[in-house]
Amino acid sequence: IGGKSGSEQTGTACGTVVILATGNVTVTGGDGLGSTSDGVDIGGGFGTQKGDDGQGIRPSTDGTYTVYGNLELPCDITIPQDATVVIPEGASLTVPQGTTLTNNGTILVQGGEIEGTVSGNPPTYPSKVTVSFSQNEQAVTSVPYGSTVTITATMEKAETAANTLEVDPGMVGFYLGEHIQYGILVGTDDVEIVDGVYTAAVDVTLDDEKGVTGVGTITITADFGGYAPDGDESGDSLAPKIGRAQLTVTKDDSALDLTAKKGGEETTTFTYDDTITIEGSVKGAEDSANTLNLEQNTAQLYCGETPLGQAVNVVDGSFTLTYDTSEKGIPIGNQTLTVKYGGSGIFNESS
């Protein structure tokens, strides 16, 4: 379909051609009269010089329709349900006043331009998803294990093709891992539009309950289900897309919660031949800076720099230390005893 070809003359130009169908369109190559390279022979004719392709909407071999040239609709047109019309880079579609374009399918603006009023479904723009991390409203690229981080997905128009994913339109799913099919869903949020910026955010505590089993670099994948304004809602229609970002999880500073006991009763006063029992637990601390020479996941009791008894293992964050004062490692009088913790795979050392 298009301009006339000739071996000794310039190919003639093609005018306006609009092809839309309610069913499947089978596209095959013709006798070379057209000018496109995808097997769809619609456009200017061949000759000593190729004729101008003109403008229009033509079927593509992938089952969609493509706007080519700078098309100004010559009459009222309805895009059928389930039909997708792509406006690629370099092409434009103009709906002049007095002409109606009814979109019952999808108009995907993929680098091109559309002007005028569209009835029915609004045009859809490919989206770009950017994932970022923050704590206390400050951007971060690394956080301690066990801390809570805000994960934000920001969506904007893009010129690349969209991909259909797992969540519903108007939502973002956040996954631990590079692939949503195999990742761990850590939260979902509805898309919010403020001053033209599309965002969704969740607060996630980075611990084993969320699949973060230790320190290192993790990948967060944001699955944007697309967005289409409904009723009085504002904003452009955006196609589904995913975005990824990496975050470094570091060891958290630790703090010790200690209780001294004698015979099961809390006390800080002991006499010789008493056995001192120290019950302790390890938790995260915001501020701690210690350099200790202990094996990880162990705790040791000290008087000054002198160790008392043997180091014990810390199990599930708890430990118990005992010392028999008859061993005379603690001088008579008021003494300060210190418990030193050797740290672990997720906690720094502390005392």
Side-chain angles (χ1 to χ4, degrees):
I1 300 175
K4 181 179 179 181
S5 296
S7 60
E8 297 181 357
Q9 63 185 21
T10 300
T12 58
C14 179
T16 299
V17 177
V18 176
I19 299 177
L20 289 169
T22 56
N24 293 329
V25 176
T26 301
V27 180
T28 59
D31 60 3
L33 298 183
S35 63
T36 66
S37 59
D38 61 358
V40 184
D41 292 332
I42 300 174
F46 288 112
T48 56
Q49 291 183 344
K50 185 177 75 66
D52 183 76
D53 284 343
Q55 57 281 322
I57 301 175
R58 58 192 174 199
S60 301
T61 55
D62 61 0
T64 64
Y65 297 88
T66 302
V67 175
Y68 65 98
N70 299 312
L71 174 62
E72 182 175 296
L73 289 185
C75 59
D76 295 346
I77 288 178
T78 297
I79 297 174
Q81 186 177 3
D82 298 329
T84 297
V85 176
V86 179
I87 308 177
E89 185 175 0
S92 66
L93 174 60
T94 300
V95 184
Q97 289 186 351
T99 301
T100 301
L101 173 59
T102 302
N103 179 27
N104 294 330
T106 300
I107 300 175
L108 180 57
V109 185
Q110 197 168 337
E113 298 179 359
I114 184 169
E115 296 182 3
T117 302
V118 178
S119 301
N121 301 328
T124 298
Y125 295 86
S127 61
K128 173 185 177 183
V129 181
T130 302
V131 180
S132 59
F133 308 98
S134 63
Q135 284 185 326
N136 300 321
E137 300 184 353
Q138 298 294 319
V140 295
T141 57
S142 64
V143 295
Y145 181 89
S147 62
T148 299
V149 62
T150 299
I151 307 173
T152 301
T154 303
M155 285 67 68
E156 58 187 323
K157 292 181 183 178
E159 296 183 359
T160 56
N163 48 342
T164 303
L165 299 171
E166 301 294 326
V167 298
D168 293 332
M171 295 186 64
V172 174
F174 295 89
Y175 292 81
L176 173 64
E178 294 185 1
H179 305 285
I180 60 175
Q181 293 84 356
Y182 310 108
I184 299 174
L185 180 66
V186 296
T188 61
D189 189 36
D190 294 330
V191 175
E192 182 180 8
I193 304 176
V194 178
D195 297 329
V197 179
Y198 300 65
T199 60
V202 293
D203 292 332
V204 178
T205 300
L206 302 177
D207 55 19
D208 55 359
E209 291 187 3
K210 292 298 185 181
V212 182
T213 57
V215 300
T217 300
I218 62 173
T219 298
I220 297 294
T221 299
D223 171 16
F224 170 49
Y227 178 83
D230 183 18
D232 296 332
E233 292 180 341
S234 61
D236 295 310
S237 180
L238 297 181
K241 192 68 176 177
I242 62 172
R244 298 182 180 90
Q246 291 187 326
L247 179 70
T248 300
V249 180
T250 61
K251 288 186 179 184
D252 190 11
D253 291 334
S254 61
L256 302 180
D257 185 10
L258 305 174
T259 302
K261 293 183 176 181
K262 178 176 66 174
E265 299 293 330
E266 291 188 26
T267 183
T268 57
T269 301
F270 299 88
T271 59
Y272 277 112
D273 291 331
D274 288 341
T275 296
I276 301 173
T277 299
I278 305 292
E279 295 179 353
S281 61
V282 182
K283 61 182 181 180
E286 294 183 357
D287 299 302
S288 178
N290 298 282
T291 302
L292 307 176
N293 296 316
L294 281 176
E295 185 180 352
Q296 288 191 344
N297 280 319
T298 62
Q300 173 78 65
L301 182 63
Y302 285 79
C303 180
E305 295 301 320
T306 302
L308 303 176
Q310 300 296 317
V312 299
N313 292 326
V314 178
V315 180
D316 295 331
S318 299
F319 60 90
T320 300
L321 293 163
T322 59
Y323 180 71
D324 186 350
T325 57
S326 65
E327 296 181 10
K328 299 182 179 180
I330 304 175
I332 294 174
N334 293 326
Q335 305 295 335
T336 298
L337 302 185
T338 302
V339 174
K340 298 182 180 182
Y341 168 60
S344 69
I346 60 173
F347 285 130
N348 288 319
E349 303 166 338
S350 64
S351 64

